[in-house]
Structures are given as C-alpha cells and as structure tokens.
Amino acid sequence: KAGVTQTPRYLIKTRGQQVTLSCSPISGHRSVSWYQQTPGQGLQFLFEYFSETQRNKGNFPGRFSGRQFSNSRSEMNVSTLELGDSALYLCASSPGQKNSPLHFGNGTRLTVT
Amino acid sequence: KNEVEQSPQNLTAQEGEFITINCSYSVGISALHWLQQHPGGGIVSLFMLSSGKKKHGRLIATINIQEKHSSLHITASHPRDSAVYICAVPYSGGGADGLTFGKGTHLIIQP
C-alpha cells in the first residue's frame, strides 16, 4: 500500500505570493490533517478534513486555507506569504474514526524569501 | 485546546542505557500518541494508547489517564534510536480531528 504522498518536497516563494501544497492520503483513508513545523513553535495543528468537510481548525490566520476532494486528496493554500510562513508542512491521513492511528507524509519544506 | 508538556527537552545517553521520556497533558483525552521524527522530517507513529501499557521491541509506552501522564521508555538504547520523540494528544480531546503536540525530546545515543 502506498504511503502518504506530499508534493512538492521543496518550494521557494517570495513574500506576498501564494502557494498550494498537495497531500494524497493512503488509499481508503478519509481523514487528512495538516500541520506546520517550525524551530520556534514546533508542530502546530492547522486543520483537519473528513469526507470533504473541515471538522476542526487550529489557531492560524485566514491566509491559511484548505480543502479536500471527493477522492480524499487534500490541498492547503497560503496566500500573501510572509517570511514567518517558512516551515515544514506535514499532512497525515487516517481512516477518520476516533483514535485512528495517523500516517504522516514526508512534508513540504517551504522557504519564503 | 489541550496543552502538552514534555520532558526532558534534550537527552544525551550512552549506548545501552535505559531511557525515559515524560509527557503530561491538561485535558482528558481518548488516546495519546508517541511519534518519532528523524532528521529530514519524516514522522513515524510509534504508539497510540488509551490505557495501560504497550510494547514494541525495545520501546515501551505507558499511560495513566487519571494523572494525565504518559512515559516512553527505551531499553538497551542504541545509536539508531537517536531522533526526536514527540508526544501528541487530540486537539479537541475527542480523538478524531487533529493533534496537538509537545515540544519534543531530542535524544542522542552515543556509542
């Protein structure tokens, strides 16, 4: 079974631009959650989708948004990029039931210059 | 939102030593996750537990729901165990909608 796939692996953008990151979950998994990891703040929850619906959202500004498609693939978008958005962005998939184990992708490393 | 405290933040030990990493959280949960992250970023789920104790090879995880505390133990540690170990709990406590994390324990095992 293929694992969680995130694309692209690396991305360099300029302040003010927008970016879209993609996450393909394990086949059959209906939940995708997104996380930001920085040296200062560690891992922080962005949002979680299940069957195309956002079930929960972390404490991030509205510039961070996401969506999930009918095949469970998910995208996250960051608009008007700031230097502080430079981070490793990780997604994880699970079947979506309570207490399901998570499977993480290898992440997208975003650098904003 | 659940708050997660992990200790120690950094730990250097000699090969063969018994390692303990601690995690405490503020709000009752349905399950707790222990994760491992190697340089380069990939995260692997080691354990998910809601009560008692689980063991995989040289790794043991325990949880005390009443005290809101969990520990991860590594027996006969080896240099390949060097990694960041992260404790995580459900963001909303319920268990199905994302995680909130401790700051991680950076473990180095010296030969």
Side-chain angles (χ1 to χ4, degrees), chain B residues 19-92:
Chain B
I19 304 297
T20 295
I21 300 170
N22 295 300
C23 174
S24 60
Y25 50 93
S26 58
V27 177
I29 58 170
S30 54
L32 179 143
H33 301 251
W34 280 104
L35 310 170
Q36 181 192 56
Q37 185 173 34
H38 281 282
I43 293 179
V44 174
S45 177
L46 296 174
F47 295 101
M48 186 183 67
L49 65 166
S50 54
S51 65
K53 178 178 171 178
K54 284 191 176 181
K55 184 174 188 289
H56 287 157
R58 295 180 295 104
L59 272 59
I60 303 166
T62 63
I63 189 168
N64 185 318
I65 294 291
Q66 287 72 32
E67 294 187 2
K68 298 187 178 65
H69 181 269
S70 176
S71 293
L72 177 68
H73 306 285
I74 305 175
T75 63
S77 59
H78 190 275
R80 65 175 174 265
D81 298 325
S82 298
V84 178
Y85 293 84
I86 304 167
C87 165
V89 299
Y91 187 77
S92 302

Side-chain angles (χ1 to χ4, degrees), chain A residues 9 11 13 17 48-49 55 58-59 69 84 94-95 105-106 110:
Chain A
R9 287 297 311 276
L11 206 47
K13 290 285 188 179
Q17 288 186 316
E48 188 263 357
Y49 288 88
R55 287 198 295 194
N59 189 24
F69 303 95
S94 82
N106 287 325
L110 172 65

Side-chain angles (χ1 to χ4, degrees), chain A residues 13-101:
Chain A
K13 290 285 188 179
T14 304
R15 266 183 306 176
Q17 288 186 316
Q18 74 161 16
V19 66
T20 299
L21 312 182
S22 178
C23 176
S24 294
I26 289 172
S27 178
H29 284 189
R30 296 166 67 189
S31 168
V32 173
S33 49
W34 287 90
Y35 306 91
Q36 181 197 64
Q37 187 175 34
T38 59
Q41 298 297 319
L43 275 159
Q44 294 182 280
F45 170 62
L46 280 156
F47 27 66
E48 188 263 357
Y49 288 88
F50 179 81
S51 292
E52 302 180 68
T53 299
Q54 187 182 88
R55 287 198 295 194
N56 208 347
K57 187 178 188 304
N59 189 24
F60 277 82
R63 300 184 297 107
F64 292 80
S65 63
R67 59 179 175 167
Q68 187 180 33
F69 303 95
S70 58
N71 62 357
S72 293
R73 189 178 71 86
S74 178
E75 289 180 347
M76 67 162 282
N77 185 77
V78 188
S79 62
T80 319
L81 283 165
E82 301 177 359
L83 294 179
D85 298 333
S86 294
L88 180 67
Y89 291 88
L90 291 151
C91 75
S93 78
S94 82
Q97 286 75 42
K98 186 175 173 180
N99 297 339
S100 302

